[in-house]
């Protein structure tokens, strides 16, 4: 019964295995228990800069905190409304779920910022 309940909860979150064991996922799946150290691919929109290279990201399932090194964005700060597509590693730190971004696939600027850019590392 417990397995059935857990499976039902996880079905509400999206997690699809792709090539190279990178999971295409969303914020709900990350906060509901994707294992620490798992590589994930996500898309979302920056809601808020939290300082120290951390941002709050929103997608269709909720919000998750990401850690985004400025080297990956060509030293360009991410404003609210900026859309990102990236790969990162899940980290459950002090009761919070964080995705540490390792590669940025694309950045679409906020409405009042520069046009779309693709950044590879």
């Amino acid at each position: 019964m417990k397995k059935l309940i857990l499976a039902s909860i996880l079905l509400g979150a999206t997690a699809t295995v792709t090539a190279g064991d990178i999971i295409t996922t969303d914020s709900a799946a990350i906060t509901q228990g994707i294992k620490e150290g798992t590589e994930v691919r996500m898309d979302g929109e920056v809601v808020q800069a939290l300082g120290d290279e951390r941002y709050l990201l929103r997608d269709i399932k909720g919000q998750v905190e990401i850690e985004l090194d400025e080297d990956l964005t060509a030293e360009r700060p991410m404003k609210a409304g900026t859309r990102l597509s990236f790969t990162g590693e899940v980290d459950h730190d002090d009761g919070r779920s964080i995705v540490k971004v390792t590669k940025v696939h694309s950045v679409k600027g906020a409405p009042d910022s520069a046009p779309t850019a693709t950044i590879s590392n």
Side-chain angles (χ1 to χ4, degrees):
M1 184 64 168
K2 288 181 184 178
K3 289 180 183 179
L4 180 58
I5 292 170
L6 180 59
S8 298
I9 291 170
L10 293 178
L11 285 177
T14 305
T16 308
V17 177
T18 60
D21 295 322
I22 296 174
I23 297 172
T24 299
T25 193
D26 57 47
S27 60
I30 289 169
T31 58
Q32 291 176 2
I34 287 182
K35 183 179 170 188
E36 185 164 327
T38 301
E39 278 196 80
V40 296
R41 181 171 178 140
M42 291 184 66
D43 298 309
E45 180 178 308
V46 173
V47 175
Q48 177 183 6
L50 302 173
D52 197 27
E53 299 183 334
R54 291 181 183 231
Y55 298 88
L56 187 59
L57 187 87
R58 174 179 51 220
D59 62 12
I60 61 171
K61 296 282 185 159
Q63 297 180 346
V64 69
E65 188 175 328
I66 65 170
E67 185 175 301
L68 179 59
D69 187 359
E70 289 176 349
D71 292 344
L72 296 174
T73 62
E75 306 294 325
R76 185 171 122 183
M78 299 291 105
K79 296 180 181 178
T82 302
R83 300 222 19 99
L84 296 173
S85 177
F86 60 89
T87 302
E89 186 175 300
V90 175
D91 183 23
H92 300 295
D93 186 25
D94 296 328
R96 299 179 316 194
S97 297
I98 300 170
V99 178
K100 294 184 177 182
V101 177
T102 55
K103 183 175 183 179
V104 175
H105 304 289
S106 70
V107 176
K108 294 182 183 177
D112 64 342
S113 65
T116 301
T118 300
I119 300 171
S120 287
N121 191 13

